[in-house]
Amino acid sequence: MAAAVDSLLNLSAVSVARYAEQYSDCIKMLPCSAKDTLVRIMTAQGSVTDSNISQVLHAGIRTLDLQNCKISDSALKQIHCPQLRTIILTRCVHITSEGLEALASHCPCLQVIDLTGCSAVTDSGVQALARSCKWLEVISLMECSAVSDVALIEIGAKCRFLYSIYFGGTEVTDAGVMGLATGVCCQSLKELQMVRCRNLTDNAVAAVLSNCANIRIFNFHGCPRITDKSREALHNLIGPNKIQHVSWTVY
């Protein structure tokens, strides 16, 4: 009987998700558990939008995957979820730092944020996250082409619990990596992905190896200015209880 009820509820949620705009007033009144199911279905379908996001969310939501949804800063400004821990915004190309600043102020408990491919995001948005979200553990800035050293330095200065960061395909330089590697997160960092960063040199690799004793995954392939000198520096640092995964390209 319980399985039949759950199945019926799921079918109802699918129907409501399909015609969310028509049921907007009813959706507002749903209990949190029903909204959780609705959010899961609607985000998978890509049907969460700027116009309906405030109806489907509730203050206690902890995970939100919007990578399939066509949203803008307007949606981020409507996310007032103080318990939110994880948000996936992969390739949400219409969001900017303005939206991230609002998100950071309303969701201070964020631990994981994926901004991969968010090309309009700039340093100010990342700085806002670093300043407001003190529990940040994982952040992806892959292909955020407008992000620079300023963002990495701010993360290094504020995010002491950070253990994984991706910033491949950006214009960061050695200065940004040094700021990150010597910051408050230097002992918590376990994974660093800085692939296809054309401005980085052996100095960036040296900064990580010298300051981040707990690094376990370190990838810097596709960085044309990093030489065989870095491979030699890694030689004695690979193995059990040391770096477990590393990749690089020798030019």
Side-chain angles (χ1 to χ4, degrees):
M1 178 65 74
V5 172
D6 287 343
S7 179
L8 183 60
L9 288 173
N10 281 329
L11 284 173
S12 299
V14 170
S15 179
V16 172
R18 186 176 301 164
Y19 303 104
E21 301 298 335
Q22 297 178 30
Y23 294 116
S24 59
D25 290 337
C26 297
I27 290 172
K28 289 180 182 178
M29 307 300 292
L30 289 173
C32 293
S33 59
K35 284 193 172 186
D36 285 338
T37 300
L38 195 60
V39 168
R40 176 176 53 79
I41 294 169
M42 291 180 67
T43 52
Q45 293 177 344
S47 55
V48 172
T49 66
D50 290 351
S51 60
N52 64 29
I53 193 168
S54 64
Q55 283 89 41
V56 300
L57 296 185
H58 62 84
I61 199 165
R62 297 172 70 90
T63 301
L64 189 57
D65 185 346
L66 297 170
Q67 64 180 317
N68 296 318
C69 304
K70 294 181 180 179
I71 60 163
S72 70
D73 289 341
S74 175
L76 296 189
K77 292 175 181 179
Q78 297 175 68
I79 301 175
H80 293 251
C81 303
Q83 300 305 312
L84 189 66
R85 299 294 193 274
T86 299
I87 187 165
I88 309 299
L89 297 167
T90 306
R91 307 203 184 286
C92 291
V93 296
H94 298 297
I95 67 170
T96 72
S97 289
E98 182 180 344
L100 286 183
E101 288 166 12
L103 179 72
S105 66
H106 298 146
C107 306
C109 292
L110 272 175
Q111 295 174 319
V112 178
I113 182 164
D114 191 340
L115 297 169
T116 300
C118 296
S119 54
V121 168
T122 62
D123 291 329
S124 61
V126 181
Q127 286 178 295
L129 289 169
R131 291 167 182 165
S132 298
C133 306
K134 303 298 185 184
W135 303 101
L136 198 64
E137 295 178 348
V138 179
I139 185 168
S140 176
L141 303 171
M142 292 278 286
E143 300 171 30
C144 292
S145 53
V147 166
S148 74
D149 295 339
V150 173
L152 293 193
I153 292 170
E154 192 72 30
I155 291 172
K158 299 291 196 300
C159 302
R160 68 175 56 254
F161 300 106
L162 190 79
Y163 69 79
S164 178
I165 183 168
Y166 298 64
F167 52 89
T170 65
E171 296 297 314
V172 300
T173 72
D174 293 346
V177 177
M178 289 177 185
L180 180 70
T182 58
V184 296
C185 61
C186 64
Q187 295 304 308
S188 62
L189 265 179
K190 294 182 178 179
E191 179 178 13
L192 201 158
Q193 304 271 2
M194 55 185 205
V195 303
R196 300 189 308 281
C197 291
R198 63 182 181 178
N199 298 320
L200 297 182
T201 73
D202 294 323
N203 292 330
V205 176
V208 173
L209 297 181
S210 299
N211 296 284
C212 303
N214 295 307
I215 201 79
R216 293 296 178 265
I217 300 174
F218 188 22
N219 294 325
F220 50 89
H221 59 266
C223 299
R225 299 182 65 191
I226 294 178
T227 71
D228 203 42
K229 178 181 177 182
S230 291
R231 181 190 64 80
E232 294 170 359
L234 281 163
H235 182 71
N236 294 322
L237 297 174
I238 300 175
N241 300 318
K242 297 180 182 180
I243 297 178
Q244 298 166 1
H245 185 280
V246 62
S247 69
W248 66 87
T249 305
V250 176
Y251 291 87

